[in-house]
Amino acid sequence: MAQRIPRFSLDGVPDAETAHHPFTTEDGLGLGLTRFRRGEGADPVLLVHGLTSGSDLFTMPEHRNLTSYLLDHGFTDVWVLDSRMSNRFPYNTEPGRRTLDDLARFDYPAALAELRRHTGQRPVHVVAHCLGSVAFAMSLSAGTVDGIAALVANSVALTPRLTSWSRWKLEYGPELLQHALGVSVLDPRARSARPFTPGWALSRLVSLAHRECDNPACHMISFMWGSGWPALYSHENLHPVTHDRIADLLGPSGLDYLRHVRKMVRAGHAVKYDPRDPRHATLPDDYLTDAAGIDTPILFLAGDRNHVFGDSNVICHRELSRHAPDRHELAVLPGYGHLDPIIGKDADRDVFPQILDFLRRRAAA
């Protein structure tokens, strides 16, 4: 039997100088950056994960990962963030309101301050995924971050759109789960819970509708985040090892972020969760209104099999290009969905070259 890949392993980037950089946000959370470096002088690249995932998306050892790919192709200073949404921290499952405004206001400015403490004022390139992409685009719109030479936004940015089934789940699911079933945390590993507990029962029920594989964690992840069999990726795009350990890569989450996304979906674009919250007084109530002032070029990645956010990035590219027709770019990825552009076994062949080309052109500019 093959040895299992350890959780939170850095074995996927064995040939770089590695350093951990903890930092604290203004609202008092301890977060972290991991720096992978092979040389001096290159513009730093910051990799940003989405909800319930973490830095491991970018350092997977079972196939060529994005960190190694960038290091191999001249971007020799790669920083990987673990924000408050990371499955390396307990924050996702703790009581208390968590919103994407928190990331835009606190996480990304603090992460960039720590990065620049070591790299100086060189331009920073960012590759962001899922709700990390939404929140980072919110940061750009709000002006809480600066000096960003380029942003690659995978799957979604400022105009989240959902399929009808996903929208129904988002509209009614958080309250049904919390008040009717007593489930306040969704966990891909729920099948391992004590039998007949609410999470265990939910996992069993979800698996009845998912016969595409025998991995209950894969079934739960589809239920949590999209519409499809499976929802976040195509099985054929994943290495079997990745599919087997998908619960290591995508962890548990509370329901508050979903409520914020629900408000955005209702509005048709990114909006503040609570305009009365004094912690977020400096953020705009409507992030799309100020998006015309974003001078950072954005490459919108859109898998044509995205069963989570559909054509969200096609729409966002169109909306932002109305104000700056030649600034932003769109790349539609045939055969890819929501997450496999990052963790797919052939992403280094099909997707990463497009990211690299964009970053190189922006670095040269």
Side-chain angles (χ1 to χ4, degrees):
M1 180 170 139
Q3 183 177 358
R4 181 175 175 81
I5 295 172
R7 293 174 71 180
F8 309 146
S9 170
L10 298 181
D11 293 344
V13 193
D15 50 354
E17 175 188 339
T18 305
H20 297 283
H21 295 269
F23 63 93
T24 304
T25 64
E26 187 180 320
D27 65 335
L29 291 189
L31 305 179
L33 288 157
T34 305
R35 185 184 193 181
F36 300 92
R37 186 166 54 160
R38 283 202 194 141
E40 302 287 345
D43 291 347
V45 180
L46 176 65
L47 306 183
V48 176
H49 62 84
L51 179 58
T52 81
S53 56
S55 55
D56 303 272
L57 292 186
F58 306 109
T59 62
M60 302 167 63
E62 59 263 44
H63 53 71
R64 200 175 189 195
N65 56 66
L66 183 55
T67 300
S68 290
Y69 186 90
L70 292 171
L71 290 170
D72 289 343
H73 289 87
F75 286 94
T76 55
D77 194 7
V78 179
W79 295 70
V80 187
L81 174 65
D82 281 291
S83 73
R84 71 184 63 208
M85 290 195 296
S86 173
N87 60 6
R88 290 189 176 222
F89 298 119
Y91 308 131
N92 286 335
T93 59
E94 292 178 348
R97 180 181 293 173
R98 306 288 183 194
T99 73
L100 298 179
D101 299 314
D102 294 328
L103 285 101
R105 171 67 180 83
F106 300 116
D107 290 22
Y108 301 140
L112 286 163
E114 174 63 21
L115 183 154
R116 287 178 171 134
R117 195 166 68 86
H118 300 275
T119 65
Q121 294 304 309
R122 299 187 68 88
V124 179
H125 307 267
V126 177
V127 181
H129 168 66
C130 188
L131 296 189
S133 175
V134 176
F136 201 90
M138 290 161 56
S139 295
L140 289 175
S141 178
T144 61
V145 298
D146 57 16
I148 307 302
L151 169 64
V152 178
N154 182 55
S155 182
V156 61
L158 292 175
T159 57
R161 298 292 194 276
L162 301 178
T163 64
S164 57
W165 169 236
S166 293
R167 186 163 184 160
W168 187 93
K169 285 192 296 182
L170 190 64
E171 192 67 39
Y172 303 106
E175 283 66 40
L176 284 172
L177 289 167
Q178 196 157 19
H179 302 303
L181 299 180
V183 174
S184 59
V185 173
L186 294 171
D187 192 336
R189 287 192 169 86
R191 186 67 63 84
S192 301
R194 187 161 52 88
F196 305 108
T197 56
W200 176 90
L202 177 63
S203 178
R204 297 277 298 187
L205 182 64
V206 166
S207 287
L208 292 177
H210 285 272
R211 299 297 185 182
E212 68 272 18
C213 68
D214 59 1
N215 186 346
C218 182
H219 307 160
M220 274 297 292
I221 287 165
S222 293
F223 170 76
M224 290 164 66
W225 306 124
S227 302
W229 294 268
L232 273 67
Y233 41 73
S234 296
H235 278 140
E236 59 266 27
N237 287 344
L238 295 193
H239 191 290
V241 171
T242 303
H243 183 252
D244 288 346
R245 71 184 194 99
I246 197 66
D248 289 352
L249 299 171
L250 302 172
S253 176
L255 302 174
D256 283 320
Y257 288 114
L258 297 182
R259 292 185 171 99
H260 194 178
V261 174
R262 178 173 64 191
K263 185 170 183 179
M264 293 183 182
V265 170
R266 288 171 177 171
H269 54 270
V271 293
K272 186 188 291 182
Y273 184 77
D274 183 2
R276 300 166 299 177
D277 190 335
R279 299 177 311 130
H280 303 142
T282 58
L283 300 177
D285 292 346
D286 185 325
Y287 290 95
L288 193 60
T289 298
D290 294 339
I294 295 176
D295 56 8
T296 296
I298 302 174
L299 171 62
F300 296 95
L301 297 180
D304 68 355
R305 297 182 185 176
N306 192 330
H307 301 308
V308 180
F309 287 108
D311 62 351
S312 297
N313 265 358
V314 176
I315 293 169
C316 197
H317 173 259
R318 183 178 67 215
E319 288 296 314
L320 267 61
S321 294
R322 288 172 50 232
H323 306 286
D326 301 320
R327 182 175 299 156
H328 308 297
E329 300 179 23
L330 172 68
V332 177
L333 307 172
Y336 279 86
H338 170 70
L339 181 57
D340 38 8
I342 304 296
I343 69 168
K345 59 182 174 60
D346 296 320
D348 65 312
R349 180 192 68 196
D350 301 331
V351 182
F352 297 171
Q354 298 186 62
I355 296 174
L356 177 69
D357 175 66
F358 180 72
L359 297 185
R360 279 178 168 170
R361 287 188 285 109
R362 300 324 309 170

